[in-house]
Every structure is written in C-alpha cells, then in structure tokens.
Amino acid sequence: LYYSVVSGSYGGTAVSNQDPLLISPSGGDWRPSAVSVAVDSAHGGFTTTTDILGNPREDLPTQPNSGTGTPDYADRGAVERQP
C-alpha cells in the first residue's frame, strides 16, 4: 500500500491506520469529511488531475498540505473533498 488510509493495521509507505472519516459510506457518500486524514495528504505524483467523479483535485484551505509530490494538496482515495 502507498499513501492510503485504512482502518486496521497495514504496512506500507505513508499508510495511515486511522479511520478515514468518510461522510457516509453506508449511504453511498464516499467523500472524505473535512477533518479526514485523507484530505490534502496524497502523493501528487500518484494521483490523476480529477477524481473518479470528474472533480478536480482541490486544495482545502482549512487543512494543512501534508502530501508530497505535485500537487501536494491532493486527497488520498478515489473521491476528492471539494472546498
């Protein structure tokens, strides 16, 4: 695993074992919440310019950019949190 957020204990590079705090997976809403560790923490070199829904990778100003690569503000996962 690389630059992932998973619940449980997994090894890998830059893997967070914290709850990803998605909005409502059981309701079909897989977006990360504003306080999710997935927000602005991906390796930009491993992401696409848009998420799976066609939304652009956006910087969430309330979260510090802790990602690496370019852009350093991409979210981990298939769905980007939109400001």
Coordinates of all heavy atoms in Angstrom, one line a residue:
L1 N 0.8 -1.2 0.0 CA 0.0 0.0 0.0 C 0.9 1.2 0.0 O 1.9 1.3 0.7 CB -0.9 0.0 1.2 CG -2.0 -1.0 1.4 CD1 -2.7 -1.0 2.7 CD2 -3.0 -0.9 0.2
Y2 N 0.4 2.2 -0.7 CA 1.1 3.5 -0.8 C 0.2 4.7 -0.6 O -0.9 4.7 -1.2 CB 1.8 3.7 -2.1 CG 2.9 2.7 -2.4 CD1 2.6 1.5 -3.1 CD2 4.2 2.9 -1.9 CE1 3.6 0.6 -3.4 CE2 5.2 1.9 -2.2 CZ 4.8 0.8 -2.9 OH 5.8 -0.2 -3.2
Y3 N 0.5 5.6 0.3 CA -0.3 6.7 0.6 C -1.8 6.4 0.7 O -2.7 6.9 -0.1 CB -0.1 7.8 -0.5 CG 1.3 8.4 -0.4 CD1 2.4 7.8 -0.9 CD2 1.5 9.5 0.4 CE1 3.7 8.3 -0.8 CE2 2.8 10.1 0.6 CZ 3.8 9.5 0.0 OH 5.1 10.0 0.1
S4 N -2.1 5.5 1.6 CA -3.5 5.0 1.8 C -4.0 5.3 3.2 O -3.2 5.6 4.1 CB -3.6 3.5 1.5 OG -3.1 3.2 0.2
V5 N -5.3 5.3 3.3 CA -5.9 5.4 4.7 C -6.8 4.2 4.8 O -7.7 4.0 4.1 CB -6.8 6.7 4.8 CG1 -7.4 6.8 6.2 CG2 -5.9 7.9 4.5
V6 N -6.5 3.4 5.8 CA -7.2 2.1 6.0 C -7.5 2.0 7.5 O -6.7 2.4 8.4 CB -6.5 0.9 5.5 CG1 -6.4 0.9 4.0 CG2 -5.1 0.8 6.1
S7 N -8.6 1.4 7.9 CA -8.8 1.1 9.3 C -8.2 -0.3 9.5 O -8.4 -1.2 8.8 CB -10.3 1.0 9.6 OG -10.9 2.3 9.5
G8 N -7.4 -0.4 10.6 CA -6.7 -1.6 10.9 C -5.2 -1.5 10.8 O -4.7 -0.3 10.6
S9 N -4.5 -2.5 10.8 CA -3.1 -2.5 10.9 C -2.5 -3.0 9.5 O -2.6 -4.2 9.3 CB -2.6 -3.3 12.0 OG -1.2 -3.3 12.1
Y10 N -2.0 -2.1 8.7 CA -1.4 -2.5 7.5 C 0.0 -1.8 7.3 O 0.1 -0.7 7.8 CB -2.3 -2.1 6.3 CG -3.6 -2.8 6.2 CD1 -4.7 -2.3 6.9 CD2 -3.7 -4.0 5.5 CE1 -5.9 -3.0 6.8 CE2 -4.9 -4.7 5.4 CZ -6.0 -4.2 6.1 OH -7.1 -4.9 6.0
G11 N 0.9 -2.4 6.7 CA 2.2 -1.8 6.4 C 2.2 -1.1 5.1 O 1.2 -1.2 4.3
G12 N 3.2 -0.4 4.8 CA 3.3 0.2 3.5 C 4.0 1.6 3.7 O 4.4 1.9 4.7
T13 N 4.0 2.3 2.6 CA 4.6 3.6 2.6 C 3.6 4.7 2.8 O 2.6 4.8 2.0 CB 5.3 3.9 1.2 OG1 6.3 2.9 1.0 CG2 6.0 5.3 1.2
A14 N 3.7 5.5 3.8 CA 2.8 6.6 4.2 C 1.4 6.1 4.3 O 0.4 6.7 3.8 CB 2.9 7.7 3.2
V15 N 1.2 5.0 5.0 CA -0.1 4.4 5.2 C -0.6 4.9 6.6 O 0.1 4.8 7.6 CB -0.1 2.9 5.2 CG1 -1.5 2.3 5.6 CG2 0.3 2.4 3.8
S16 N -1.8 5.5 6.6 CA -2.5 5.9 7.9 C -3.4 4.8 8.3 O -4.3 4.3 7.5 CB -3.2 7.2 7.7 OG -4.0 7.5 8.9
N17 N -3.3 4.4 9.6 CA -4.2 3.3 10.1 C -5.4 3.9 10.9 O -6.0 3.3 11.6 CB -3.4 2.4 11.0 CG -2.4 1.6 10.3 OD1 -2.6 1.2 9.1 ND2 -1.3 1.3 10.9
Q18 N -5.6 5.2 10.6 CA -6.7 5.9 11.3 C -8.0 5.7 10.5 O -8.0 5.4 9.3 CB -6.4 7.4 11.4 CG -5.2 7.7 12.3 CD -4.9 9.2 12.3 OE1 -5.8 10.0 12.0 NE2 -3.7 9.5 12.6
D19 N -9.1 5.9 11.1 CA -10.4 5.9 10.5 C -10.4 7.0 9.4 O -10.1 8.1 9.7 CB -11.5 6.1 11.5 CG -12.9 6.1 10.9 OD1 -13.1 6.3 9.7 OD2 -13.9 5.8 11.7
P20 N -10.7 6.7 8.1 CA -10.7 7.7 7.1 C -11.8 8.8 7.2 O -11.7 9.8 6.5 CB -10.8 6.9 5.8 CG -11.4 5.7 6.2 CD -11.0 5.4 7.6
L21 N -12.7 8.6 8.1 CA -13.8 9.6 8.4 C -14.5 10.0 7.1 O -14.6 11.2 6.7 CB -13.3 10.8 9.1 CG -12.7 10.5 10.5 CD1 -12.1 11.7 11.1 CD2 -13.8 9.9 11.4
L22 N -15.0 9.0 6.3 CA -15.8 9.3 5.1 C -17.1 9.8 5.5 O -17.6 9.4 6.6 CB -15.8 8.0 4.3 CG -14.5 7.5 3.8 CD1 -14.6 6.2 3.1 CD2 -13.7 8.5 3.0
I23 N -17.8 10.5 4.7 CA -19.1 11.1 5.1 C -20.1 10.1 5.4 O -20.7 10.1 6.5 CB -19.5 12.2 4.0 CG1 -18.5 13.3 4.1 CG2 -21.0 12.6 4.3 CD1 -18.8 14.4 3.1
S24 N -20.4 9.2 4.5 CA -21.5 8.2 4.7 C -21.3 7.0 3.8 O -22.1 6.9 2.8 CB -22.9 8.8 4.6 OG -23.9 7.8 4.8
P25 N -20.3 6.2 4.0 CA -20.2 5.0 3.1 C -21.4 4.1 2.9 O -21.7 3.7 1.9 CB -19.0 4.2 3.7 CG -18.3 5.2 4.5 CD -19.3 6.2 5.0
S26 N -22.1 4.0 4.1 CA -23.3 3.1 4.0 C -24.4 3.8 3.2 O -25.3 3.1 2.7 CB -23.8 2.8 5.4 OG -24.2 4.0 6.1
G27 N -24.4 5.1 3.1 CA -25.3 5.8 2.2 C -24.8 6.1 0.8 O -25.5 6.8 0.1
G28 N -23.6 5.6 0.5 CA -23.1 5.8 -0.8 C -22.2 7.0 -1.0 O -21.8 7.4 -2.1
D29 N -22.0 7.8 0.1 CA -21.2 9.0 0.0 C -19.8 8.7 0.5 O -19.5 8.7 1.7 CB -21.8 10.1 0.8 CG -21.2 11.5 0.6 OD1 -20.1 11.5 0.0 OD2 -21.8 12.5 1.0
W30 N -18.9 8.5 -0.4 CA -17.5 8.1 -0.1 C -16.5 9.3 0.0 O -15.3 9.1 0.1 CB -17.0 7.1 -1.2 CG -17.8 5.8 -1.1 CD1 -18.9 5.5 -1.8 CD2 -17.5 4.7 -0.3 NE1 -19.3 4.3 -1.5 CE2 -18.5 3.7 -0.6 CE3 -16.5 4.4 0.6 CZ2 -18.5 2.5 0.1 CZ3 -16.5 3.1 1.2 CH2 -17.5 2.2 0.9
R31 N -17.1 10.5 0.0 CA -16.2 11.7 0.1 C -15.6 11.7 1.5 O -16.3 11.4 2.5 CB -17.0 13.0 -0.1 CG -17.5 13.1 -1.5 CD -18.3 14.4 -1.7 NE -19.5 14.2 -0.8 CZ -20.1 15.3 -0.2 NH1 -19.7 16.5 -0.4 NH2 -21.2 15.1 0.6
P32 N -14.3 12.2 1.6 CA -13.8 12.3 2.9 C -14.4 13.6 3.6 O -14.7 14.6 3.0 CB -12.3 12.6 2.7 CG -12.2 13.0 1.3 CD -13.4 12.4 0.6
S33 N -14.6 13.5 4.9 CA -15.1 14.6 5.7 C -14.0 15.7 5.7 O -12.8 15.4 5.4 CB -15.5 14.2 7.1 OG -14.4 13.9 7.8
A34 N -14.3 16.9 6.1 CA -13.4 18.0 6.2 C -12.2 17.7 7.2 O -11.1 18.3 7.0 CB -14.1 19.3 6.6
V35 N -12.4 16.8 8.1 CA -11.4 16.5 9.1 C -10.7 15.2 8.9 O -9.9 14.7 9.7 CB -11.9 16.6 10.5 CG1 -12.4 18.0 10.9 CG2 -13.1 15.6 10.7
S36 N -11.0 14.6 7.7 CA -10.4 13.3 7.4 C -8.8 13.4 7.2 O -8.4 14.4 6.6 CB -11.0 12.7 6.1 OG -10.3 11.6 5.7
V37 N -8.1 12.4 7.6 CA -6.7 12.4 7.4 C -6.3 12.2 5.9 O -5.2 12.4 5.5 CB -6.0 11.3 8.2 CG1 -6.1 11.6 9.7 CG2 -6.5 9.9 7.9
A38 N -7.3 11.8 5.1 CA -7.1 11.6 3.7 C -7.0 13.0 2.9 O -6.5 13.0 1.8 CB -8.3 10.8 3.1
V39 N -7.5 14.0 3.5 CA -7.6 15.3 2.8 C -6.2 16.0 2.7 O -5.5 16.0 3.7 CB -8.6 16.3 3.5 CG1 -8.5 17.7 2.9 CG2 -10.0 15.7 3.4
D40 N -5.8 16.4 1.5 CA -4.6 17.1 1.3 C -3.3 16.4 1.8 O -2.4 17.0 2.2 CB -4.6 18.5 1.9 CG -5.6 19.4 1.2 OD1 -6.2 19.0 0.2 OD2 -5.8 20.6 1.7
S41 N -3.4 15.0 1.6 CA -2.2 14.2 2.2 C -1.7 13.2 1.2 O -0.9 12.3 1.6 CB -2.6 13.6 3.5 OG -3.6 12.6 3.3
A42 N -2.1 13.2 -0.1 CA -1.7 12.2 -1.0 C -0.3 12.5 -1.6 O 0.2 13.6 -1.4 CB -2.7 12.1 -2.1
H43 N 0.2 11.6 -2.3 CA 1.4 11.9 -3.1 C 0.9 12.3 -4.5 O 0.3 11.5 -5.2 CB 2.3 10.6 -3.3 CG 3.6 10.9 -3.9 ND1 3.7 11.4 -5.2 CD2 4.9 10.6 -3.5 CE1 5.0 11.5 -5.5 NE2 5.7 11.1 -4.5
G44 N 1.1 13.6 -4.8 CA 0.5 14.2 -6.0 C 1.0 13.5 -7.3 O 0.3 13.5 -8.3
G45 N 2.2 12.9 -7.2 CA 2.7 12.2 -8.4 C 2.0 10.9 -8.7 O 2.1 10.3 -9.8
F46 N 1.2 10.4 -7.7 CA 0.5 9.1 -7.9 C -1.0 9.4 -8.2 O -1.8 8.4 -8.2 CB 0.6 8.2 -6.7 CG 2.0 7.7 -6.4 CD1 2.4 7.6 -5.2 CD2 2.9 7.5 -7.5 CE1 3.7 7.1 -4.9 CE2 4.1 7.0 -7.2 CZ 4.6 6.8 -5.9
T47 N -1.4 10.6 -8.3 CA -2.9 10.9 -8.5 C -3.1 11.4 -9.9 O -2.2 11.7 -10.7 CB -3.3 12.1 -7.5 OG1 -2.6 13.3 -7.8 CG2 -3.1 11.7 -6.1
T48 N -4.4 11.4 -10.2 CA -4.9 11.9 -11.5 C -5.3 13.4 -11.3 O -5.4 13.8 -10.2 CB -6.1 11.1 -12.0 OG1 -7.1 11.2 -11.0 CG2 -5.7 9.7 -12.3
T49 N -5.5 14.1 -12.4 CA -5.9 15.5 -12.2 C -7.3 15.7 -11.8 O -7.7 16.7 -11.3 CB -5.7 16.3 -13.5 OG1 -6.4 15.6 -14.6 CG2 -4.2 16.3 -13.9
T50 N -8.1 14.6 -11.9 CA -9.5 14.6 -11.5 C -9.8 13.4 -10.7 O -9.1 12.4 -10.8 CB -10.5 14.7 -12.6 OG1 -10.4 13.6 -13.5 CG2 -10.4 16.0 -13.4
D51 N -10.8 13.4 -9.8 CA -11.2 12.2 -9.1 C -12.1 11.3 -9.9 O -12.4 11.6 -11.1 CB -11.8 12.6 -7.7 CG -13.2 13.2 -7.8 OD1 -13.8 13.3 -8.9 OD2 -13.6 13.7 -6.7
I52 N -12.6 10.3 -9.3 CA -13.4 9.3 -10.1 C -14.7 9.9 -10.5 O -15.4 9.4 -11.5 CB -13.7 8.0 -9.2 CG1 -14.1 6.9 -10.1 CG2 -14.6 8.3 -8.1 CD1 -14.1 5.5 -9.4
L53 N -15.2 11.0 -9.9 CA -16.4 11.7 -10.3 C -16.2 12.8 -11.3 O -17.1 13.5 -11.7 CB -17.1 12.2 -9.0 CG -17.4 11.2 -7.9 CD1 -18.0 11.9 -6.7 CD2 -18.4 10.2 -8.5
G54 N -14.9 13.0 -11.7 CA -14.6 14.1 -12.6 C -14.3 15.4 -11.9 O -14.1 16.4 -12.6
N55 N -14.3 15.5 -10.6 CA -14.0 16.7 -9.9 C -12.5 16.9 -9.9 O -11.7 16.0 -9.8 CB -14.4 16.6 -8.4 CG -15.9 16.5 -8.3 OD1 -16.7 17.2 -8.9 ND2 -16.3 15.5 -7.4
P56 N -12.0 18.2 -10.0 CA -10.6 18.5 -10.0 C -10.0 18.3 -8.6 O -10.7 18.3 -7.6 CB -10.5 20.0 -10.4 CG -11.8 20.5 -9.9 CD -12.8 19.4 -10.2
R57 N -8.7 18.0 -8.5 CA -8.0 17.9 -7.3 C -8.0 19.3 -6.7 O -7.5 20.3 -7.4 CB -6.6 17.3 -7.4 CG -6.6 15.9 -8.0 CD -7.2 15.0 -6.9 NE -7.2 13.6 -7.5 CZ -7.6 12.6 -6.8 NH1 -8.0 12.7 -5.5 NH2 -7.7 11.4 -7.3
E58 N -8.5 19.6 -5.5 CA -8.6 20.9 -5.0 C -7.9 21.0 -3.6 O -7.9 20.0 -2.9 CB -10.1 21.3 -4.8 CG -10.9 21.4 -6.0 CD -10.9 22.7 -6.7 OE1 -10.4 23.7 -6.0 OE2 -11.3 22.9 -7.8
D59 N -7.4 22.2 -3.3 CA -6.8 22.4 -2.0 C -7.9 22.8 -1.1 O -8.7 23.7 -1.4 CB -5.7 23.5 -2.2 CG -4.9 23.7 -0.9 OD1 -5.0 22.9 0.0 OD2 -4.2 24.8 -0.9
L60 N -8.0 22.2 0.1 CA -8.9 22.5 1.1 C -8.2 23.5 2.1 O -7.3 23.0 2.8 CB -9.4 21.3 1.8 CG -10.6 21.5 2.8 CD1 -11.8 22.0 2.0 CD2 -10.9 20.3 3.5
P61 N -8.5 24.8 2.0 CA -7.7 25.7 2.8 C -7.7 25.5 4.3 O -6.8 26.0 5.0 CB -8.3 27.1 2.5 CG -9.3 26.8 1.4 CD -9.5 25.4 1.3
T62 N -8.6 24.8 4.8 CA -8.7 24.6 6.3 C -7.8 23.4 6.7 O -7.6 23.2 7.9 CB -10.1 24.3 6.7 OG1 -10.6 23.2 6.0 CG2 -11.0 25.5 6.5
Q63 N -7.2 22.7 5.8 CA -6.3 21.6 6.1 C -4.9 21.9 5.7 O -4.7 22.4 4.6 CB -6.8 20.3 5.4 CG -8.0 19.7 5.9 CD -7.8 18.9 7.2 OE1 -7.6 19.5 8.2 NE2 -7.8 17.6 7.1
P64 N -3.9 21.6 6.5 CA -2.5 21.8 6.0 C -2.2 20.8 4.9 O -2.7 19.7 4.9 CB -1.7 21.5 7.3 CG -2.6 20.6 8.1 CD -4.0 21.0 7.8
N65 N -1.4 21.2 4.0 CA -1.0 20.3 2.9 C 0.1 19.4 3.4 O 1.3 19.9 3.5 CB -0.5 21.1 1.7 CG -1.6 22.0 1.1 OD1 -2.8 21.7 1.3 ND2 -1.3 23.0 0.4
S66 N -0.2 18.2 3.7 CA 0.8 17.3 4.2 C 1.2 16.2 3.2 O 2.0 15.3 3.5 CB 0.3 16.6 5.5 OG -0.9 15.9 5.2
G67 N 0.8 16.4 2.0 CA 1.1 15.5 0.9 C 2.5 15.8 0.4 O 3.2 16.7 0.8
T68 N 2.9 14.9 -0.6 CA 4.2 15.1 -1.2 C 4.0 15.1 -2.7 O 2.9 14.9 -3.2 CB 5.2 14.0 -0.9 OG1 4.7 12.8 -1.2 CG2 5.5 14.1 0.6
G69 N 5.0 15.4 -3.5 CA 4.9 15.4 -4.9 C 4.1 16.7 -5.4 O 3.9 17.6 -4.6
T70 N 3.7 16.6 -6.6 CA 2.9 17.8 -7.2 C 1.6 17.3 -7.8 O 1.6 16.4 -8.6 CB 3.8 18.5 -8.3 OG1 5.0 18.9 -7.7 CG2 3.0 19.7 -8.9
P71 N 0.5 17.8 -7.3 CA 0.3 18.8 -6.3 C 0.4 18.2 -4.9 O 0.1 17.0 -4.7 CB -1.1 19.3 -6.5 CG -1.8 18.1 -7.1 CD -0.8 17.4 -7.9
D72 N 0.8 18.9 -3.9 CA 0.9 18.4 -2.5 C -0.4 18.5 -1.7 O -0.4 18.2 -0.6 CB 2.0 19.2 -1.8 CG 1.7 20.6 -1.5 OD1 0.7 21.2 -2.0 OD2 2.5 21.3 -0.8
Y73 N -1.4 18.9 -2.4 CA -2.7 19.0 -1.7 C -3.8 18.0 -2.2 O -4.9 18.1 -1.8 CB -3.3 20.4 -1.9 CG -3.4 20.8 -3.4 CD1 -4.5 20.4 -4.2 CD2 -2.5 21.7 -4.0 CE1 -4.6 20.7 -5.5 CE2 -2.6 22.0 -5.3 CZ -3.6 21.6 -6.1 OH -3.7 21.9 -7.4
A74 N -3.4 17.1 -3.0 CA -4.4 16.1 -3.5 C -4.8 15.2 -2.3 O -4.1 15.0 -1.4 CB -3.8 15.2 -4.6
D75 N -6.1 14.7 -2.4 CA -6.6 13.8 -1.3 C -6.2 12.4 -1.7 O -6.1 12.0 -2.8 CB -8.1 14.0 -1.2 CG -8.5 15.3 -0.7 OD1 -7.7 16.1 -0.4 OD2 -9.8 15.6 -0.8
R76 N -6.1 11.6 -0.6 CA -6.0 10.1 -0.8 C -7.3 9.5 -1.1 O -8.3 10.0 -0.6 CB -5.4 9.5 0.5 CG -4.1 10.0 0.9 CD -3.6 9.3 2.1 NE -2.5 10.0 2.7 CZ -1.7 9.5 3.6 NH1 -1.8 8.2 3.9 NH2 -0.7 10.2 4.1
G77 N -7.4 8.6 -2.0 CA -8.6 7.9 -2.4 C -9.2 8.4 -3.7 O -8.7 9.3 -4.4
A78 N -10.3 7.8 -4.1 CA -10.9 8.0 -5.4 C -11.7 9.3 -5.5 O -11.9 9.8 -6.6 CB -11.8 6.8 -5.7
V79 N -12.2 9.8 -4.3 CA -13.0 11.0 -4.3 C -12.4 12.1 -3.6 O -11.9 12.0 -2.5 CB -14.4 10.6 -3.7 CG1 -15.3 11.8 -3.8 CG2 -15.1 9.4 -4.4
E80 N -12.3 13.2 -4.3 CA -11.6 14.4 -3.7 C -12.6 15.3 -2.9 O -13.8 15.5 -3.4 CB -11.1 15.3 -4.9 CG -10.4 16.5 -4.5 CD -8.9 16.3 -4.1 OE1 -8.4 15.1 -4.2 OE2 -8.3 17.3 -3.7
R81 N -12.2 15.7 -1.8 CA -13.0 16.6 -1.0 C -13.0 18.0 -1.7 O -12.0 18.5 -2.0 CB -12.4 16.8 0.4 CG -13.1 17.8 1.3 CD -14.3 17.3 1.9 NE -15.0 18.4 2.6 CZ -16.1 18.3 3.2 NH1 -16.7 17.1 3.3 NH2 -16.7 19.3 3.8
Q82 N -14.2 18.5 -2.0 CA -14.3 19.8 -2.6 C -14.5 20.9 -1.6 O -15.3 20.8 -0.7 CB -15.5 19.8 -3.6 CG -15.3 18.8 -4.8 CD -14.1 19.1 -5.6 OE1 -14.0 20.1 -6.2 NE2 -13.2 18.1 -5.7
P83 N -13.8 22.1 -1.8 CA -14.0 23.2 -0.8 C -15.4 23.8 -0.8 O -16.1 23.6 -1.7 CB -12.9 24.2 -1.2 CG -12.4 23.8 -2.5 CD -12.9 22.4 -2.8

